[in-house]
Every structure is written in C-alpha cells, then in structure tokens.
Amino acid sequence: MNQPRVIPEHAFGDASWGALVKCVRRVYAPYFMTITETDPGNVPHRELMIGGNPGNIGMSSGVLGVSPWACGVPLVNTIAFVFSAAHGDNIPELCWTATHEAGHLFGLDHEFHQPDSMSYDPLTTQYKHFTDFNSECFDQSTGQQIPCYCGSASTQNTDLRLATDLGRDRVFSDGMGEDPWELPLPSPLAPLIVRSPLSCGTRTDRATMMPLTW
C-alpha cells in the first residue's frame, strides 16, 4: 500500500557532501547535461535522492540504491535512490552507487566491464566512470551473461550511449580543471561494501556489513 515515507538527509557533513557532488559531476562531465543540487522546477529532469537507509522506503537492509528501469528506455521526471547511511562516509562507494543508479535513468544496463559505473566488479580506483568499451550485460539475479536492454542489443557501450543521447560536452569534459584524485579516503567507520547481485534488475545490493580496518 502506498504511504508517505521520510528519508533522512546525508548525515556526514558539508565536506563529505561536497566531495560526493564533485565526484558525480566529474563522472558525468563529458556529457552535455547539468547536475544541480537545487530543484530545477517544472522542466523535464531526472532526480537522485541521497540519504537514509533502505528501510526508510520499506526495502531490505542490504540495498545500497535502487532505480526505475525500462529495458534501456531513458526515463524522464523519475527518481532514483542512494542510501548513504548504508554506505557510511565512503565517498568513492557513494559516487559509484550514485552514478550507477542515475545511469539506469538514462537507460543504461548492468555490465561486466570493471572500470565502468554500471559494473558490479570491485572498485579498484577512487571512482568509476562511463567507458568507451563494448561490454556484455548480465542478469542481476543469476550473474549470467544476457543480451543488453532486455534482449535488444548484444553489448553496451556506456560512453557512446550517453554521448549519443545527451551530446558530448567538450568544454568541460576534463572535469573543469579539477584534480581527479582529490576524493577523501573512506571513514574508518564506513562499512565494507560487498556488492552481491540479487533479484531486481535495478538494485545495488551488498551481502555483508563490517567496519573497515586500517
């Protein structure tokens, strides 16, 4: 039954929030789009709500984020969710989940290419991005290779797809001169994220939660 839900705000302070916004902007900088923290008003847009836990909207505790999905069709005036309290103050992981869930709103599927935001393979750099690589897609419930976009394409190239659909922003594609390696290290209290694909094609899940050790 539909009912009002309240999602608490991102709880790790202004510096953490600023670093997260900066990372998301950098990942999407090559494409002709605007990322804003303010309501754009009555114009077509996509919205990403960041804060709280999955339980705030009635989802299970292992969910890191969730987004609508329409088999590769871009969705407008829709909302995706990233549960920042489930990540802890871990900007690289939050940035990955944020760009991943927003990617679903642009019609992107899950894929196998490790550096890509739409992949579940472990984060080995400070942030993932959208890659110029033709990757196979996978079924989140089984982890097995399947055609992309519910069977309409054999592979997915996220960079080419976004550049084609949105246009390429050659002025700010370098991140507006920002150092790409300025992201802070995760807080020692942030949980260790282990992404474990489950049943729904647009969820980002984890299997375990434990403190990081240094």
Side-chain angles (χ1 to χ4, degrees), residues 64-132:
L64 297 176
V66 65
S67 172
W69 170 245
C71 292
V73 177
L75 300 172
V76 181
N77 297 329
T78 49
I79 302 176
F81 298 89
V82 174
F83 305 112
S84 57
H87 292 75
D89 192 13
N90 187 329
I91 301 305
E93 290 282 351
L94 275 164
C95 183
W96 177 10
T97 302
T99 55
H100 178 108
E101 299 301 346
H104 285 308
L105 299 182
F106 292 107
L108 300 180
D109 206 342
H110 294 131
E111 65 170 59
F112 284 112
H113 187 46
Q114 185 276 333
D116 202 282
S117 286
M118 303 311 294
S119 166
Y120 268 87
D121 291 330
L123 182 68
T124 59
T125 58
Q126 279 202 302
Y127 67 92
K128 291 200 175 197
H129 60 291
F130 299 108
T131 57
D132 184 10

Side-chain angles (χ1 to χ4, degrees), residues 38-177:
T38 59
D39 188 344
N42 189 25
V43 297
H45 66 281
R46 297 163 173 98
E47 188 167 338
L48 192 63
M49 187 171 290
I50 302 175
N53 279 298
N56 298 134
I57 62 170
M59 300 194 76
S60 59
S61 61
V63 179
L64 297 176
V66 65
S67 172
W69 170 245
C71 292
V73 177
L75 300 172
V76 181
N77 297 329
T78 49
I79 302 176
F81 298 89
V82 174
F83 305 112
S84 57
H87 292 75
D89 192 13
N90 187 329
I91 301 305
E93 290 282 351
L94 275 164
C95 183
W96 177 10
T97 302
T99 55
H100 178 108
E101 299 301 346
H104 285 308
L105 299 182
F106 292 107
L108 300 180
D109 206 342
H110 294 131
E111 65 170 59
F112 284 112
H113 187 46
Q114 185 276 333
D116 202 282
S117 286
M118 303 311 294
S119 166
Y120 268 87
D121 291 330
L123 182 68
T124 59
T125 58
Q126 279 202 302
Y127 67 92
K128 291 200 175 197
H129 60 291
F130 299 108
T131 57
D132 184 10
F133 182 85
N134 296 325
S135 174
E136 293 82 8
C137 295
F138 70 87
D139 182 339
Q140 189 179 4
S141 63
T142 65
Q144 300 300 308
Q145 178 181 336
I146 58 172
C148 300
Y149 313 138
C150 300
S152 64
S154 58
T155 61
Q156 171 177 260
N157 184 314
T158 59
D159 173 69
L160 182 60
R161 173 75 189 270
L162 290 174
T164 300
D165 291 355
L166 302 175
R168 197 176 294 283
D169 190 340
R170 301 188 183 280
V171 176
F172 296 114
S173 61
D174 64 349
M176 296 170 282

